[in-house]
Amino acid sequence: LLLPAKLATAGYATRLRAELAERTALAVLADLGHDPSAAFAATAYPAALVATRTSPPPGQLVSLELEPSGGPRLPQGALAGGGPWVLASPPLLDALAELRGEHPLLGARFTPQLGIKTGANALFLDPPDALEPALLRSALRGRDLAPFRWTATTPLFFPHDDQGAPLARLPAAAARYVRAHEALLRARVDYGGGPVWTLFRVKPALAEHRVVWADLARQLNAAALTGAAGRGLLPLNSCYLLPVASRAAALTLAAWLNCTWIRAAARAVADTAAGGFARFNARTIA
């Protein structure tokens, strides 16, 4: 079978992975995403699966390469249970198991969430200069993040108060701007009533101490938003954010997420995306 490579890690494929591991003898599980002979006209991330419809024999080994070449193999028993399949050599799997045995996944201890969603980026990002300065904030996109720092910010029209509630009224210039685009603002998928200028998922983004990382990146890069420099920055929904109790906690967690071992562990089970990128959510990070 030729399958999307993300079936090895996607949550929706949990039952499929469990059935394959328990009811078939797997011969090959090969990620072809970097194989030049597996190129497609469309953006695709293929994997090859070769299996026999029979119970796996004891000690069944699964090749991680489509062509037999004496490459890495892993025990089929390591794929049981339906969890993400890490298609890696046994030494790497052992290292990941040891790491996760001592450190639970981030999502098991905390509840990271995506940053602010506008539902209409063209209206809220880089707004007209005529808008009142009091309604402008600095937003962070995933592409702006680097280890321990950010490389850029984007002006954000932010018609909310410091506690995250939408303003009851807008000053004159902002009110005119909103009236001109009211139909589009009401048509946003997440809009369910109230002021039409409402943004979504605002309150967590205003926490005093936050750790943020890009949802989509080539490697896991985290930064602490804390203190005077980070307090006024608002992560957008291309970032994950995790509010924490203190500046020390934010700096410590950012250091943990940026270390080589945690990056490697997260990359091993992250969903593949275009251009060598991957998606880093809470279930992939130890």
Side-chain angles (χ1 to χ4, degrees):
L1 299 175
L2 188 65
L3 301 168
K6 66 164 52 178
L7 288 177
T9 56
Y12 62 73
T14 298
R15 179 68 182 272
L16 172 63
R17 291 191 294 267
E19 290 290 313
L20 287 170
E22 295 168 11
R23 299 178 181 272
T24 71
L26 297 170
V28 173
L29 279 173
D31 185 344
L32 305 179
H34 302 291
D35 187 335
S37 66
F40 291 84
T43 300
Y45 312 100
L49 184 150
V50 179
T52 303
R53 192 179 299 175
T54 184
S55 297
Q60 173 76 4
L61 294 177
V62 185
S63 174
L64 301 182
E65 296 180 356
L66 183 57
E67 298 294 336
S69 60
R73 296 173 179 265
L74 59 87
Q76 182 164 334
L79 304 175
W85 283 351
V86 183
L87 304 184
S89 63
L92 176 55
L93 292 178
D94 291 343
L96 292 174
E98 183 175 349
L99 175 66
R100 290 184 171 170
E102 297 183 4
H103 303 285
L105 292 177
L106 190 68
R109 298 186 60 184
F110 303 102
T111 308
Q113 52 198 294
L114 291 170
I116 292 173
K117 182 178 181 181
T118 71
N121 280 352
L123 297 183
F124 288 94
L125 299 182
D126 288 315
D129 294 337
L131 294 186
E132 288 80 3
L135 300 186
L136 301 181
R137 302 286 288 271
S138 295
L140 281 176
R141 299 168 297 181
R143 73 185 74 169
D144 300 325
L145 291 171
F148 302 106
R149 62 188 179 90
W150 46 94
T151 58
T153 61
T154 303
L156 171 70
F157 173 39
F158 187 72
H160 286 242
D161 63 24
D162 291 339
Q163 284 68 50
L167 298 174
R169 292 185 178 183
L170 297 179
R176 289 193 297 271
Y177 182 63
V178 165
R179 281 197 298 271
H181 301 286
E182 184 169 351
L184 176 58
L185 292 168
R186 290 187 181 277
R188 293 177 295 168
V189 172
D190 293 277
Y191 178 68
V196 295
W197 51 84
T198 299
L199 298 173
F200 315 109
R201 296 196 298 257
V202 170
K203 289 188 177 181
L206 293 173
E208 184 176 3
H209 309 289
R210 295 145 292 155
V211 177
V212 295
W213 63 91
D215 167 39
L216 189 66
R218 286 192 170 90
Q219 69 173 18
L220 180 61
N221 292 324
L225 303 185
T226 187
R231 189 173 295 118
L233 299 177
L234 299 180
L236 297 180
N237 69 327
S238 54
C239 303
Y240 275 97
L241 68 96
L242 178 60
V244 293
S246 66
R247 174 178 170 82
L251 295 173
T252 300
L253 181 57
W256 175 257
L257 297 179
N258 284 324
C259 78
T260 300
W261 274 104
I262 298 305
R263 280 180 173 162
R267 190 66 173 84
V269 298
D271 291 338
T272 301
F277 284 73
R279 294 196 175 275
F280 295 101
N281 56 46
R283 68 175 176 78
T284 70
I285 302 173

